[in-house]
Amino acid sequence: MDTILRDLSIVWTLIHCLIMFMFLYESRYSSKKTNIITGIFVIPLIIVNLLNVRLLGIEIAGRLIIPCCVLPSLVFFFIMAKNRGARFLFTFCVVDTIVLEILLITNLLDGLIGIENYIIMFVSRLVIFPLLEFLIVRYIRKQYHFLQQNMKKGWCVFSILAAFFYVIIIWSTYYPTIVLDRPEYIPQLVLILVLVPVMYMTVFQVLWTQVKLFNAAEENRALNMQIKMVNERLVSSAEAENNLQILRHDIKHKMLLINDYIKNKKFEEAEEYISTLISDIDKNKIKSYCDNHSVNVVLSYYDKIAGEKGARFETNVNLPETLTVNETDLAVVLSNGIENAINAVDNCENKEISVKVFMDTDKIYVEIKNPFSDKVIFDGNMPKSKQENHGFGTKSMAAIVDKYEGVYSFNVENEYFIFQCSI
């Protein structure tokens, strides 16, 4: 009976080691299937390790933790894991090291305070593990999954380092005898227990910095491509205007030719030539929405695309010829926003896109509004794309608004998706 709290704390520890690991790793199977298979594996594992403690003693059970717990768990979760290799090994070592640190700290507290029947050990573990899991879910899980998904390389060195510290802690604790029987080594063990969290915090900071740099580079690449696309459209519009000028210049000669066809009663030839002339004019026509040429180019282009998809393209635009922001930047914001709107209404019965742009003193205000069919998922204040390697358009829009220290919002209101900004 004297060891019942110790045994319960061991079971509690093994269960919560499993829970923490499942918070951080991603299974290749569904949640239901993962939970069932994991339960079938873990229950016998807990029983075996508890029997080791009861029959062989805490010191020998500690030495057997690698063959009886660590290695079977490593193989099992490796088979179950979605992301394998160094990423998986790092996650495994991180969780096991954290759990091992809690075990050692609570053991040391229990031994130093000297209260019998393992009360300190049991109570401290009872509190620490749920608290730690709350912190993981609240502050770490989301960011860690983001790192796992976006950081494909660089894990090998960190996983080897994590495994190295894990082995050092086990070796220092249980070899040649348990550390409680070697009190002169406790200060060295405490130093290791302090250094390991510092090491992990440094590793996470390095990884997070690399991911942010990678994302910044990707967003910059996407933004440059969008700017290039807009510039190509502007060049294309310049060519169209030049063609229109040529048509206007030649209109007198063309009208004389039509007049000649009519005089000679060549009505079919006249009709065909007039149709060709109208087609040439329409082909090079840029609709005027406001006094700014670049905005007219973008709106004309997407008006045509929306029309081809059967969407109503309603505009209310009032801008001067000269803007207070770079014309290409505004063109990128409008291009991304309208393109997203056209894609969103593709499966809607109500295919209505509304674009409002106006300038008040030194600020330009933009609103793009459209219905949608799929559920909109937000990551913070930004809409999240369901497709991998998508979503750079909205990030580019936000980056441009931030560049001018403006404000923006993506909202869902009355079954409409609304983007608004001022720059």
Side-chain angles (χ1 to χ4, degrees):
M1 291 296 294
D2 291 343
T3 60
I4 188 168
L5 289 181
R6 182 199 67 186
D7 296 344
L8 285 173
S9 70
I10 291 171
V11 174
W12 180 258
T13 298
L14 291 172
I15 290 172
H16 283 276
C17 178
L18 166 69
I19 292 171
M20 281 194 290
F21 184 75
M22 292 186 73
F23 280 153
L24 293 179
Y25 102 117
E26 293 182 86
S27 173
R28 60 174 52 212
Y29 304 110
S30 67
S31 298
K32 183 179 179 181
K33 187 175 181 179
T34 299
N35 292 335
I36 292 171
I37 297 173
T38 303
I40 293 171
F41 168 77
V42 167
I43 292 171
L45 190 73
I46 291 174
I47 294 171
V48 168
N49 283 275
L50 188 59
L51 286 174
N52 284 344
V53 173
R54 298 285 292 178
L55 300 176
L56 303 175
I58 194 72
E59 183 174 346
I60 296 176
R63 293 180 182 179
L64 292 174
I65 194 171
I66 290 180
C68 293
C69 184
V70 175
L71 291 179
S73 300
L74 182 67
V75 173
F76 171 77
F77 285 114
F78 179 82
I79 295 170
M80 297 284 290
K82 179 182 177 181
N83 298 317
R84 296 178 175 178
R87 282 183 287 177
F88 166 79
L89 180 61
F90 181 79
T91 304
F92 187 87
C93 290
V94 165
V95 173
D96 271 24
T97 304
I98 291 171
V99 171
L100 192 56
E101 286 223 1
I102 294 171
L103 282 175
L104 295 175
I105 291 169
T106 52
N107 266 332
L108 290 174
L109 285 173
D110 194 79
L112 292 173
I113 294 174
I115 298 176
E116 295 181 354
N117 298 331
Y118 303 98
I119 293 173
I120 298 298
M121 176 191 293
F122 178 73
V123 172
S124 58
R125 292 179 186 178
L126 198 66
V127 174
I128 290 172
F129 281 111
L131 178 61
L132 186 58
E133 285 157 11
F134 169 77
L135 295 174
I136 288 172
V137 172
R138 183 72 181 272
Y139 300 107
I140 298 173
R141 185 184 186 185
K142 184 179 177 181
Q143 288 84 350
Y144 188 74
H145 283 172
F146 183 83
L147 283 173
Q148 288 268 310
Q149 292 164 6
N150 291 277
M151 190 77 181
K152 307 296 184 184
K153 299 179 180 179
W155 291 94
C156 187
V157 173
F158 295 127
S159 62
I160 292 171
L161 191 62
F164 176 72
F165 274 98
Y166 181 60
V167 171
I168 283 179
I169 292 174
I170 292 180
W171 189 269
S172 303
T173 304
Y174 295 107
Y175 295 92
T177 59
I178 193 167
V179 74
L180 293 174
D181 296 334
R182 298 176 284 125
E184 68 275 12
Y185 288 96
I186 290 178
Q188 289 93 319
L189 180 60
V190 170
L191 180 62
I192 293 172
L193 296 180
V194 171
L195 287 174
V196 169
V198 173
M199 182 272 293
Y200 278 130
M201 284 189 288
T202 305
V203 168
F204 281 123
Q205 189 174 16
V206 170
L207 288 172
W208 189 248
T209 301
Q210 287 183 345
V211 167
K212 287 197 291 186
L213 289 172
F214 171 78
N215 283 343
E218 285 294 298
E219 289 175 19
N220 187 58
R221 180 183 63 82
L223 183 57
N224 286 334
M225 287 178 64
Q226 290 158 4
I227 290 172
K228 181 181 178 183
M229 173 191 70
V230 170
N231 284 332
E232 286 174 352
R233 286 179 190 156
L234 292 175
V235 170
S236 177
S237 73
E239 292 175 355
E241 279 196 345
N242 185 55
N243 290 335
L244 276 174
Q245 287 179 354
I246 293 171
L247 281 171
R248 291 192 194 101
H249 180 266
D250 294 342
I251 196 72
K252 180 179 178 181
H253 304 292
K254 295 179 185 295
M255 293 302 292
L256 289 172
L257 182 58
I258 293 169
N259 185 56
D260 184 66
Y261 281 141
I262 294 171
K263 280 183 178 179
N264 292 294
K265 298 184 179 182
K266 296 180 179 179
F267 299 116
E268 289 184 6
E269 288 87 342
E271 186 178 349
E272 183 179 345
Y273 193 78
I274 290 170
S275 297
T276 303
L277 183 60
I278 292 171
S279 176
D280 288 340
I281 293 172
D282 286 342
K283 193 184 297 181
N284 296 286
K285 183 180 178 182
I286 296 173
K287 190 175 177 181
S288 178
Y289 300 85
C290 63
D291 293 334
N292 184 267
H293 173 73
S294 298
V295 172
N296 286 337
V297 170
V298 171
L299 295 179
S300 292
Y301 175 81
Y302 283 106
D303 193 348
K304 181 182 177 183
I305 299 297
E308 290 172 355
K309 295 198 172 187
R312 295 190 303 277
F313 192 72
E314 298 182 357
T315 61
N316 183 0
V317 183
N318 186 8
L319 291 174
E321 183 178 355
T322 304
L323 305 179
T324 55
V325 300
N326 183 284
E327 291 186 2
T328 303
D329 286 342
L330 180 59
V332 170
V333 171
L334 290 172
S335 294
N336 280 306
I338 299 171
E339 188 168 330
N340 290 340
I342 292 173
N343 292 333
V345 302
D346 208 20
N347 297 319
C348 295
E349 290 185 11
N350 176 21
K351 297 178 183 290
E352 179 185 342
I353 299 167
S354 170
V355 180
K356 296 179 182 177
V357 190
F358 64 93
M359 186 170 169
D360 184 11
T361 60
D362 60 341
K363 290 284 185 181
I364 294 175
Y365 298 88
V366 177
E367 180 188 275
I368 302 171
K369 182 179 177 181
N370 60 273
F372 57 92
S373 55
D374 293 334
K375 183 179 179 181
V376 180
I377 301 171
F378 283 90
D379 184 6
N381 64 342
M382 296 287 291
K384 184 179 180 181
S385 175
K386 295 178 182 178
Q387 296 175 295
E388 192 174 351
N389 296 323
H390 284 69
F392 288 113
T394 51
K395 291 179 181 178
S396 297
M397 294 162 72
I400 288 172
V401 176
D402 289 337
K403 172 183 173 182
Y404 292 96
E405 298 182 350
V407 293
Y408 65 88
S409 67
F410 298 90
N411 292 310
V412 171
E413 186 178 319
N414 297 327
E415 298 183 352
Y416 279 85
F417 182 84
I418 304 171
F419 166 73
Q420 294 174 314
C421 77
S422 67
I423 55 176

